[in-house]
Amino acid sequence: MTERCGQDGQYGQYVSDLREVDETQVAVVGGKGAQLGGLARIEGVVVPDGFCVTTDAFRRIMAEEPSVDGLIDELSRVAPDERETIRTLSARIRGAIEEIVVPDDLAAEITGALARFGAGAAYAVRSSATAEDLPTASFAGQQDTYLNVVGPTEILRHVSRCWASLFTERAVTYRRRNGIDDRTVHMAVVVQRMVFPAASGILFTADPVTGNRKVATVDAGFGLGEALVSGLVNPDVFKVRDGEVVARTISAKQLAVQALPTGGTREVTIEAQRQERPALTDEQVVRLVRLGRRIEAHFGRPQDIEWCLVDDGFRIVQSRPITTLFPIPERTDQEDHLYVSVGHQQMMTDAMKPLGLSMWRLTAMVAMHEAGGRLFVDVAPRLASPAGRVALLEVMGRGDPLVRDALETVLGHQNFVPSPLDAGPGAPPADEVSTPPEADPAIVSELIERSRASVAALERDIRSKTGPALFDFLLEAFEEHKRVLGDPLNIQAIMAGMEATWWLNDKLWEWLGEKNAADTLTLSAPDNITSEMGLELLDVADVIRPHTEVVAFLRGVRVEDEGFLDDLLKLTGGTEARDAIEGYLDRYGMRCVGEIDITRPRWSEHPTTLVPVILDNVRNFGPGAAERRFEEGRQRAARKEQEVLARLRALPDGDRRADATKRMIDQVRAFAGYREYPKYGIVRRTFVYKRALLEEAVRLVRAGVLAEKEDAFYLTFEEFHDVVRTNQVDGRLVRRRKEEFRSYQALTPPRVLTSDGEAVSGAYRRDDVPDGALVGLPVSAGTVEGRARVILDMADADLEAGDILVTPFTDPSWSPLFVAVAGLVTEVGGLMTHGAVIAREYGLPAVVGVEGATRLIRDGQRIRVHGSDGYIELLS
């Protein structure tokens, strides 16, 4: 930084006037300093005067004490869960920094800046780290602020304390969680004239609870804001929409924090007659929100703003992005839109990388919208007509009652008005009726053969395509992809199984008082590719089990040992074991957890993922378990059919009811298994696309265009095409996308999202469950008690017979685990999602859609799953 005279706001190498910086200078003055500089440039916004001690000063101080470097090196080697070691090392680093004597020239610059504003005045001394107040991570409260600091000596001491606060335990832990290296973060310090407010608080320009961007929330209290931040008092809370206070809660504010004349702060008691008075008038609240909207417009996103009221004028002392809000899909109009999560339907709510998002959108049958690394479908057009609304709510309610409740909640808002819009190409008409085909198994065989032939043609034709020609070919392949999915017979077969299941459950409950009777009737349904995938891994275990040397070797395989299949050849029985695993991978190796994202590593790419599951099968089962389980399920379904038909015939008009039920049972047996095959076909095609695209990425790495092949995952399909065509890539775009993806991973997607940003999860609204029970959706009948195994990653599975699997979601790749457990609990899911279908196929009591299940159920805890009634009891 070039030295200049003080008249233009530059004080020297290490100090800059707040009014001479802006939000582009985070590297120089940190996040808080950059935001304050930007705020000071907004017309009508008053920011207290002050200056920044730049990050150059911090680097200078760190260079003064070499021992700090060694301590940071030591800290970098500590695992994130070693809290005590992090606490101890962080304290040592802070102590070492605070003991460094500030060099004379640096101290002179700081005291010289103070002289301009009044050396004897009171100041706020505030940390401003370079990883702070950022769009993807606010770091709110991670470093320190000191109020009412008086005198140059004290200010220098508190500047040192701010430098040291970069290494508070909470700041170090926060950086670890956000994937930020301690060495890449530097600390600036903001020194500002103190203001002594009558009231202060926080303004959120979007509702921080619901996410609604049109509703601003103001928290207010008397005195300095520390009383609110520290939780000494409950704030007054005002909600403002369209320039009007629409809700207010006035709290009894017994305490306030005030500045002392000699420096520091103290708690004071509010006189009784003022305690329940509002800290702000409605007119002041509306004026403050108007100011907040101006700040929001300047920074381009919702803001969390700290404010002070002085003589009926507002001073803004901080503004940072609200990083916890779920983003809203972009739109080109001002109509009301209502987005339903695709991830909740596909049982994969994790964030997806840009290539995965764009590929899914290009091959989807309906228009999809992107936000927060997830995909959504706008259902507002279907809700605009009474008939469309009834049909959509019925379908959604069948699959996931929480989605239906969320939609009904939004529809109940007076300010939500859906407009009929063009649903886009490929969207089914609102009044389309699917005619179920006859229960002929040959139909399923024909559909499977059509899918196989299409994939085989894709594999054959893509071999000769490279460079830009590959991308042109893929665009044509995507049309074939959609043609196969949109085949009327394919849709009819899927719907036939689902509608027959619904009919059986409804009618057998009405006629026989039996809940979820179809769960037993669908056991061991033929042609279920996902259940076959789980059973065939039992066959792999049968091959491996007799060879003790192979079993011992597999127990020592680590995640990174990708060459383990070749190493098997050195062992007795290893050839047979490798052949069995590779045969399995030939059929199912394109699958993986989160498989709708093309960028996720497939089992064929990382076969070690399957090793824990194979070992569980070796330990928990005997030879022939797969065939035995399938036959047992088939016989149970046959017995249930005879029992149901006999009971129906004993009723008045029983023959008619039994005949209708028999037709529906035949429909279920013929088509329920096929429900899983289209997804399998999609994933097979996707893997073909991926291998071809990765070959292009490898070529770009060799040419020096990409740093690594996985960088292509952070480009959309169209951008990837451009890079292949031009041999040029925007490295800044790739880096930004990586940062955005990291931030999206921390977000929880809502089931339903409005175009105002309101995130709605829905509720079950049931009063028929025991106190303390966790409520969900019953998807597979029966009751089971056992040990809960909370598993977040399939590679960490360690299951015993009788365990109950508890996990956020299960897509088809989880089905190999289902053969080893006695029950299933998931946080996401619906009646016809893959996990529910396979749970019924295997006869596992299952409850899905249990909000917070992996947090509320402890690993190892005994629980009881009520799969017919939809709740879980916590027993220990």
Side-chain angles (χ1 to χ4, degrees):
M1 194 174 292
T2 306
E3 245 184 79
R4 295 183 289 172
C5 66
Q7 294 305 309
D8 61 0
Q10 191 76 25
Y11 300 91
Q13 182 178 358
Y14 300 113
V15 175
S16 293
D17 190 296
L18 263 182
R19 299 181 188 283
E20 293 300 315
V21 300
D22 61 29
E23 55 268 36
T24 67
Q25 294 173 268
V26 172
V28 178
V29 295
K32 186 180 284 106
Q35 289 285 104
L36 285 168
L39 283 165
R41 293 165 180 259
I42 303 172
E43 184 180 353
V45 174
V46 180
V47 175
D49 289 334
F51 60 89
C52 295
V53 183
T54 69
T55 54
D56 281 345
F58 175 76
R59 293 186 186 91
R60 168 91 178 270
I61 287 295
M62 297 293 279
E64 295 284 325
E65 181 50 71
S67 67
V68 174
D69 233 26
L71 289 170
I72 296 174
D73 276 341
E74 194 176 339
L75 182 63
S76 70
R77 294 190 290 271
V78 178
D81 57 351
E82 295 182 44
R83 298 294 298 275
E84 190 56 43
T85 306
I86 290 174
R87 184 179 298 117
T88 301
L89 280 173
S90 298
R92 289 175 63 191
I93 294 169
R94 291 197 305 278
I97 294 172
E98 288 185 34
E99 289 174 7
I100 297 171
V101 176
V102 179
D104 291 344
D105 60 328
L106 173 52
E109 281 198 31
I110 295 172
T111 55
L114 285 171
R116 289 190 54 158
F117 294 110
Y123 291 85
V125 184
R126 315 173 70 192
S127 64
S128 180
T130 52
E132 183 176 357
D133 293 352
L134 304 179
T136 56
S138 74
F139 280 74
Q142 301 308 311
Q143 284 90 37
D144 291 342
T145 287
Y146 303 96
L147 300 179
N148 203 34
V149 183
V150 179
T153 301
E154 281 299 292
I155 285 172
L156 285 171
R157 185 169 73 88
H158 283 84
V159 167
S160 290
R161 294 181 71 183
C162 282
W163 287 329
S165 75
L166 188 64
F167 292 95
T168 61
E169 180 192 352
R170 63 184 181 271
V172 171
T173 302
Y174 193 97
R175 287 196 291 272
R176 296 290 178 86
R177 288 176 183 161
N178 284 273
I180 298 174
D181 186 342
D182 293 325
R183 290 190 175 281
T184 64
V185 185
H186 304 289
M187 179 68 81
V189 180
V190 174
V191 181
Q192 278 181 288
R193 284 290 297 261
M194 273 291 293
V195 292
F196 303 98
S200 57
I202 308 292
L203 159 63
F204 298 97
T205 63
D207 191 314
V209 177
T210 68
N212 194 315
R213 281 19 173 218
K214 290 187 177 179
V215 176
T217 300
V218 175
D219 290 1
F222 295 124
L224 293 168
E226 294 305 292
L228 303 186
V229 173
S230 61
L232 285 176
V233 297
N234 291 323
D236 296 339
V237 180
F238 302 86
K239 291 189 181 295
V240 177
R241 184 183 179 108
D242 298 329
E244 180 184 354
V245 176
V246 295
R248 68 177 62 76
T249 302
I250 308 304
S251 300
K253 301 168 287 296
Q254 298 176 341
L255 297 171
V257 174
Q258 292 183 348
L260 293 169
T262 56
T265 60
R266 67 173 180 178
E267 296 175 18
V268 297
T269 301
I270 303 293
E271 52 270 33
Q273 64 270 26
R274 289 184 62 217
Q275 288 180 4
E276 295 191 16
R277 289 182 189 170
L280 296 177
T281 66
D282 281 7
E283 182 275 331
Q284 288 171 329
V285 169
V286 170
R287 181 154 43 95
L288 175 61
V289 169
R290 196 178 303 128
L291 198 62
R293 292 294 181 209
R294 193 176 302 167
I295 294 169
E296 178 183 67
H298 176 83
F299 289 118
R301 53 175 51 87
Q303 297 288 300
D304 164 356
I305 299 167
E306 295 181 23
W307 56 269
C308 297
L309 179 67
V310 181
D311 299 328
D312 198 39
F314 289 102
R315 307 290 188 271
I316 304 302
V317 295
Q318 188 162 335
S319 184
R320 63 171 70 92
I322 308 176
T323 59
T324 55
L325 297 176
F326 198 87
I328 310 172
E330 291 184 6
R331 55 176 174 160
T332 57
D333 58 43
Q334 295 304 310
E335 302 289 344
D336 285 333
H337 298 268
L338 191 53
Y339 304 101
V340 172
S341 165
V342 173
H344 284 80
Q345 310 302 312
Q346 291 294 331
M347 299 294 284
M348 208 294 278
T349 56
D350 290 349
M352 295 169 66
K353 296 185 179 74
L355 184 62
L357 290 165
S358 64
M359 295 280 281
W360 193 262
R361 292 177 73 177
L362 285 166
T363 55
M365 300 300 293
V366 296
M368 292 191 177
H369 306 267
E370 180 184 334
R374 278 81 170 184
L375 293 171
F376 296 84
V377 172
D378 181 13
V379 298
R382 296 288 295 274
L383 295 169
S385 70
R389 179 176 302 189
V390 169
L392 183 71
L393 291 176
E394 174 68 17
V395 170
M396 291 293 179
R398 289 280 193 181
D400 185 345
L402 291 178
V403 172
R404 175 171 184 154
D405 184 79
L407 292 173
E408 289 177 331
T409 298
V410 176
L411 289 169
H413 294 177
Q414 291 183 347
N415 52 13
F416 181 83
V417 183
S419 300
L421 302 170
D422 179 8
D431 58 352
E432 181 178 281
V433 177
S434 175
T435 304
E438 292 298 319
D440 182 359
I443 293 174
V444 170
S445 299
E446 179 186 346
L447 287 167
I448 291 173
E449 185 51 41
R450 286 185 194 178
S451 177
R452 287 174 178 164
S454 179
V455 173
L458 172 67
E459 291 174 325
R460 181 191 66 238
D461 296 341
I462 204 170
R463 290 185 194 128
S464 60
K465 304 299 188 293
T466 60
L470 169 66
F471 289 81
D472 294 336
F473 170 80
L474 284 173
L475 288 173
E476 295 176 5
F478 297 161
E479 294 307 309
E480 167 67 6
H481 182 127
K482 290 190 280 190
R483 188 197 65 76
V484 171
L485 284 180
D487 181 338
L489 189 60
N490 178 59
I491 295 171
Q492 289 171 2
I494 293 170
M495 293 306 300
M498 294 171 63
E499 290 170 352
T501 299
W502 298 335
W503 188 96
L504 287 168
N505 281 335
D506 290 346
K507 292 300 183 182
L508 296 182
W509 169 248
E510 177 188 341
W511 294 339
L512 300 177
E514 186 166 343
K515 289 183 179 179
N516 303 322
D519 293 359
T520 305
L521 294 167
T522 56
L523 288 171
S524 297
D527 299 308
N528 189 320
I529 191 72
T530 307
S531 67
E532 289 170 6
M533 180 170 64
L535 295 175
E536 286 180 33
L537 204 58
L538 289 174
D539 294 335
V540 173
D542 286 352
V543 174
I544 291 170
R545 190 180 295 105
H547 303 294
T548 55
E549 191 178 357
V550 171
V551 173
F553 168 77
L554 291 177
R555 285 182 182 139
V557 169
R558 296 166 299 177
V559 173
E560 62 270 20
D561 296 337
E562 296 298 351
F564 81 98
L565 287 172
D566 292 333
D567 293 337
L568 280 171
L569 298 178
K570 304 169 188 174
L571 309 174
T572 303
T575 300
E576 295 91 327
R578 190 182 79 157
D579 289 348
I581 294 172
E582 288 189 334
Y584 185 84
L585 291 172
D586 285 343
R587 190 170 188 202
Y588 301 112
M590 75 295 295
R591 308 219 82 148
C592 68
V593 174
E595 61 194 9
I596 69 170
D597 183 353
I598 193 175
T599 71
R600 288 289 189 102
R602 309 285 137 173
W603 290 344
S604 289
E605 296 168 321
H606 292 289
T608 55
T609 304
L610 292 174
V611 171
V613 190
I614 292 171
L615 289 172
D616 283 347
N617 289 348
V618 168
R619 182 176 68 248
N620 294 329
F621 297 94
E627 184 177 352
R628 197 163 49 248
R629 285 183 64 128
F630 186 84
E631 182 57 23
E632 287 171 358
R634 192 191 65 76
Q635 291 182 13
R636 280 185 61 196
R639 288 195 298 270
K640 186 66 177 177
E641 176 180 340
Q642 295 308 312
E643 174 212 322
V644 163
L645 295 178
R647 290 171 63 192
L648 287 172
R649 288 194 177 99
L651 298 175
D653 198 23
D655 287 343
R656 182 188 62 81
R657 296 181 183 185
D659 290 345
T661 300
K662 172 60 176 168
R663 284 195 299 275
M664 287 302 176
I665 292 174
D666 289 345
Q667 288 281 101
V668 162
R669 299 300 298 178
F671 296 114
Y674 179 71
R675 165 75 176 83
E676 294 293 299
Y677 199 88
K679 181 72 172 289
Y680 174 71
I682 291 172
V683 177
R684 285 186 68 195
R685 297 183 69 89
T686 299
F687 193 40
V688 178
Y689 306 151
K690 180 180 184 179
R691 285 181 297 187
L693 290 170
L694 277 178
E695 287 178 11
E696 289 301 310
V698 169
R699 184 187 66 77
L700 291 169
V701 171
R702 291 196 191 112
V705 178
L706 294 180
E708 53 187 13
K709 64 182 180 182
E710 287 79 11
D711 282 355
F713 296 161
Y714 296 93
L715 303 170
T716 66
F717 179 84
E718 295 83 357
E719 291 164 348
F720 194 178
H721 191 180
D722 287 340
V723 172
V724 168
R725 197 163 40 225
T726 63
N727 268 348
Q728 292 181 328
V729 68
D730 183 348
R732 291 171 302 176
L733 174 67
V734 172
R735 288 191 295 274
R736 177 167 61 81
R737 292 273 177 77
K738 288 181 178 180
E739 291 173 5
E740 289 173 347
F741 178 70
R742 272 199 301 269
S743 71
Y744 294 156
Q745 287 177 299
L747 298 175
T748 300
R751 283 178 167 81
V752 170
L753 182 68
T754 73
S755 47
D756 288 345
E758 186 171 352
V760 191
S761 293
Y764 288 107
R765 308 186 192 282
R766 292 174 54 187
D767 55 8
D768 59 342
V769 297
D771 291 341
L774 306 181
V775 183
L777 176 65
V779 295
S780 185
T783 301
V784 64
E785 180 179 324
R787 178 181 67 160
R789 294 312 314 267
V790 180
I791 297 176
L792 306 181
D793 186 334
M794 183 174 159
D796 297 330
D798 181 15
L799 298 165
E800 301 285 350
D803 283 348
I804 296 170
L805 175 61
V806 181
T807 192
F809 56 78
T810 61
D811 58 13
S813 69
W814 285 76
S815 67
L817 294 185
F818 285 23
V819 299
V821 298
L824 173 69
V825 178
T826 69
E827 295 178 332
V828 175
L831 187 63
M832 299 309 296
T833 49
H834 300 279
V837 171
I838 303 307
R840 291 193 291 272
E841 173 73 11
Y842 287 164
L844 303 177
V847 179
V848 303
V850 182
E851 290 285 304
T854 58
R855 176 175 48 85
L856 299 171
I857 299 173
R858 300 189 313 274
D859 186 48
Q861 184 175 22
R862 287 198 68 78
I863 63 175
R864 185 179 297 125
V865 176
H866 295 264
S868 300
D869 297 309
Y871 65 90
I872 298 100
E873 291 181 279
L874 308 179
L875 303 179
S876 65

